[in-house]
Amino acid sequence: PGAACPPPARRVMVAARALLFWALVYSYCGVCACIAGLRLLWSIGRRPGETFRWNPPSCLNDPSLGTHCYVRIKDSGLRFHYVAAGERGKPLMLLLHGFPEFWYSWRHQLREFKSEYRVVALDLRGYGETDAPAHKENYKLDCLIADIKDILESLGYNKCVLIGHDWGGMIAWLVAICYPEMVTKLIVVNFPHPSVFTEYILRHPSQLIKSGYYFFFQMPWFPEFMFTLNDFKVLKSLFTSQATGIGRKGCRLTAEDIEAYLYVFSQPGALTGPINHYRTIFSCLPLQHHEVIMPTLLLWGERDAFMEVEMAEITRIYVKNHFRLTILSEASHWLQQDQPDIVNKLIWTFLKEETKRKRE
C-alpha cells in the first residue's frame, strides 16, 4: 500500500480513466440527442410556421450603425462581410461575435466607439453574408485565427483593439496569443482563457452539462434541423427565455432585433457554417497553456447560463500584463446587448486608463 505504480500499470490507469471520461461525455451527448428527438416528434404534428424570411428588417440597414463592406482574402479566397463605422485612418477596433449571433450583436458598440475608432463588426467565417466553406475541416481554429490576421492586413492595419464575445472571445484569445504584435488591447466578453475552459470543463461536471451543445453539435444535419422547428423557437428562446435570455433588468431585444436574427439564420444553409465551428473543436483540444502579454479586460455577466463565473477569476493567471475583471451581477451571457451602456462605459474606462498608463 502506498507504493508507486509501475509505469505500465500507471499508463493503463490513465487510459482507463480517459476511456471512462469520454464514455460519459458521449453518453451525455446521446442523451441530448434522444431528448432532441423526442422534441422533434412532438413538433412534427404542430404547425411549422414560416421557414425562410426573404426581406431583411430595416434595422439591418440602419445607417447609424455604419456601412456594409466586403473584403476578399487572398490566401483562402473567402469573401468576408463586415459593417464599419467611424472614419478611415482612425485606430481600428475589431469586433468578433459569438454563436448564434452575427455582426448585429455589436450594434450598440458600433454607435458608441465610432467617434474615436474605425469600428469593424465582422461576420465570422460561415456566418451571415460571409462565405461559408462546405467542409467542416475549413472551420478549425487555426483557420479562424488566420482569418483575423488576414482581415486586419486587408483592411490596411497592422494592429487593433480586439474585442470578442462567446466563441468570438475564444478566437480573440487565440489571436492575442498567436499574434501579440497585432493586438494592442484585448477585451473579451463572457469567455475565459481557452486553457482555463478546457481544464475547468474536465474537472467540473456542471460546466460539462452547460457545454452539452458542443457534443450535440457533433452530429451531422440534425442540430441545424432542430433549430428550424416551430419557426426557430430554439433560436428565439436563447435570447428571450427566463433560463438563457436577457434578464428582467437588461436591455431586451425588440421584435425587430429578433426578426433580424431570424432573417439571417433562416436563410438556406445559414446554420451549417456556424455549427461547423463546433464540429472541429475536439481535433484542437487540449490547447496548450499560453500567456497573454497585452493589457486585457474581461467582462462577465454573472447570470450566464452557459459559462460558470468561476472561470473568469482563474483566467487572471494567464495574463502577464495589466488585467481587469468586471463581473456584472444582473447580466446574462449576452452581455454587450444586455447591458450596453455599462459595457460601453467599462470599455471606455479601460481604453483611456491604458492610454494614460502608457504615457506615464
Side-chain angles (χ1 to χ4, degrees), residues 22 26 30 40 42 50 66 100 104 123 145 159 163 170 219-220 251 265 267 271 283 331 335 341 356 359:
W22 287 112
Y26 284 102
L40 171 60
W42 172 255
E50 297 176 341
Y104 187 70
D123 274 343
I145 297 168
K159 57 185 178 180
I163 306 181
M170 162 79 90
M219 292 186 291
C251 184
F265 287 104
Q267 302 307 307
L271 284 161
S283 66
L335 187 57
D341 293 340
K356 182 179 179 181
R359 287 174 180 171

Side-chain angles (χ1 to χ4, degrees), residues 202-240:
L202 293 175
R203 293 182 172 89
H204 296 82
S206 56
Q207 181 58 54
L208 182 64
I209 292 172
K210 291 180 179 180
S211 300
Y213 60 96
Y214 279 57
F215 307 102
F216 176 60
F217 286 169
Q218 302 308 306
M219 292 186 291
W221 73 264
F222 190 53
E224 290 95 318
F225 184 58
M226 289 299 300
F227 266 92
T228 68
L229 295 177
N230 293 336
D231 195 22
F232 292 82
K233 182 180 179 180
V234 172
L235 181 63
K236 288 184 283 190
S237 295
L238 285 172
F239 295 107
T240 62

Side-chain angles (χ1 to χ4, degrees), residues 172-359:
W173 281 114
L174 294 175
V175 170
I177 291 166
C178 296
Y179 301 105
E181 71 282 359
M182 303 187 81
V183 181
T184 57
K185 299 176 184 68
L186 176 66
I187 301 170
V188 179
V189 183
N190 279 77
F191 201 94
H193 186 286
S195 293
V196 173
F197 180 65
T198 54
E199 292 171 359
Y200 189 90
I201 197 172
L202 293 175
R203 293 182 172 89
H204 296 82
S206 56
Q207 181 58 54
L208 182 64
I209 292 172
K210 291 180 179 180
S211 300
Y213 60 96
Y214 279 57
F215 307 102
F216 176 60
F217 286 169
Q218 302 308 306
M219 292 186 291
W221 73 264
F222 190 53
E224 290 95 318
F225 184 58
M226 289 299 300
F227 266 92
T228 68
L229 295 177
N230 293 336
D231 195 22
F232 292 82
K233 182 180 179 180
V234 172
L235 181 63
K236 288 184 283 190
S237 295
L238 285 172
F239 295 107
T240 62
S241 73
Q242 185 175 356
T244 64
I246 293 173
R248 289 180 299 171
K249 297 184 179 181
C251 184
R252 297 293 186 92
L253 270 62
T254 66
E256 193 175 33
D257 292 336
I258 294 173
E259 188 63 26
Y261 281 95
L262 295 179
Y263 168 77
V264 167
F265 287 104
S266 67
Q267 302 307 307
L271 284 161
T272 299
I275 292 177
N276 275 343
H277 281 246
Y278 293 88
R279 288 180 170 134
T280 64
I281 186 65
F282 294 117
S283 66
C284 306
L285 294 178
L287 298 171
Q288 295 181 359
H289 297 181
H290 289 292
E291 295 179 349
V292 175
I293 63 173
M294 68 285 301
T296 301
L297 171 66
L298 178 58
L299 301 176
W300 203 281
E302 191 172 25
R303 295 183 68 252
D304 190 329
F306 308 101
M307 293 283 172
E308 296 189 351
V309 68
E310 288 77 10
M311 292 188 286
E313 184 60 40
I314 302 172
T315 290
R316 184 184 303 273
I317 66 176
Y318 291 105
V319 180
K320 305 305 178 182
N321 201 314
H322 175 63
F323 176 76
R324 179 180 291 277
L325 168 64
T326 301
I327 299 172
L328 303 182
S329 60
E330 294 297 326
S332 70
H333 177 76
W334 320 104
L335 187 57
Q336 78 274 24
Q337 300 182 79
D338 185 327
Q339 304 283 347
D341 293 340
I342 297 176
V343 166
N344 292 345
K345 183 178 180 181
L346 290 169
I347 293 175
W348 274 126
T349 300
F350 173 73
L351 294 174
K352 294 182 181 298
E353 176 184 71
E354 280 307 305
T355 301
K356 182 179 179 181
R357 180 182 285 107
K358 189 174 181 180
R359 287 174 180 171

Side-chain angles (χ1 to χ4, degrees), residues 7-285:
R10 187 182 299 276
R11 285 197 295 269
V12 171
M13 290 177 61
V14 170
R17 290 176 60 187
L19 181 62
L20 177 60
F21 172 78
W22 287 112
L24 291 172
V25 166
Y26 284 102
S27 294
Y28 177 64
C29 179
V31 170
C32 291
C34 291
I35 293 173
L38 292 173
R39 289 177 177 173
L40 171 60
L41 293 175
W42 172 255
S43 301
I44 286 175
R46 304 178 65 182
R47 62 181 180 85
E50 297 176 341
T51 302
F52 302 116
R53 291 166 168 77
W54 301 110
N55 298 313
S58 59
C59 62
L60 293 181
N61 292 307
D62 183 346
S64 71
L65 296 179
T67 305
H68 290 260
C69 307
Y70 301 86
V71 61
R72 188 171 296 279
I73 304 303
K74 292 182 180 179
D75 290 344
S76 66
L78 298 179
R79 189 184 76 155
F80 283 78
H81 167 254
Y82 63 93
V83 172
E87 297 177 8
R88 296 178 184 272
K90 288 184 176 181
L92 179 64
M93 176 181 286
L94 186 58
L95 309 175
L96 310 181
H97 63 80
F99 174 88
E101 298 174 286
F102 63 113
W103 71 266
Y104 187 70
S105 67
W106 297 109
R107 58 196 176 280
H108 302 291
Q109 289 68 45
L110 282 163
R111 292 191 182 102
E112 177 70 20
F113 295 101
K114 65 182 180 182
S115 60
E116 294 189 22
Y117 290 89
R118 175 69 168 173
V119 189
V120 170
L122 186 68
D123 274 343
L124 295 175
R125 177 184 291 223
Y127 282 83
E129 295 184 57
T130 292
D131 287 348
H135 300 293
K136 67 179 183 180
E137 289 76 15
N138 292 315
Y139 295 87
K140 290 184 177 180
L141 286 174
D142 57 351
C143 296
L144 307 180
I145 297 168
D147 284 344
I148 306 308
K149 172 181 178 294
D150 294 340
I151 287 167
L152 198 68
E153 295 172 348
S154 298
L155 294 176
Y157 287 86
N158 55 23
K159 57 185 178 180
C160 70
V161 173
L162 185 61
I163 306 181
H165 169 247
D166 184 68
W167 186 258
M170 162 79 90
I171 299 172
W173 281 114
L174 294 175
V175 170
I177 291 166
C178 296
Y179 301 105
E181 71 282 359
M182 303 187 81
V183 181
T184 57
K185 299 176 184 68
L186 176 66
I187 301 170
V188 179
V189 183
N190 279 77
F191 201 94
H193 186 286
S195 293
V196 173
F197 180 65
T198 54
E199 292 171 359
Y200 189 90
I201 197 172
L202 293 175
R203 293 182 172 89
H204 296 82
S206 56
Q207 181 58 54
L208 182 64
I209 292 172
K210 291 180 179 180
S211 300
Y213 60 96
Y214 279 57
F215 307 102
F216 176 60
F217 286 169
Q218 302 308 306
M219 292 186 291
W221 73 264
F222 190 53
E224 290 95 318
F225 184 58
M226 289 299 300
F227 266 92
T228 68
L229 295 177
N230 293 336
D231 195 22
F232 292 82
K233 182 180 179 180
V234 172
L235 181 63
K236 288 184 283 190
S237 295
L238 285 172
F239 295 107
T240 62
S241 73
Q242 185 175 356
T244 64
I246 293 173
R248 289 180 299 171
K249 297 184 179 181
C251 184
R252 297 293 186 92
L253 270 62
T254 66
E256 193 175 33
D257 292 336
I258 294 173
E259 188 63 26
Y261 281 95
L262 295 179
Y263 168 77
V264 167
F265 287 104
S266 67
Q267 302 307 307
L271 284 161
T272 299
I275 292 177
N276 275 343
H277 281 246
Y278 293 88
R279 288 180 170 134
T280 64
I281 186 65
F282 294 117
S283 66
C284 306
L285 294 178

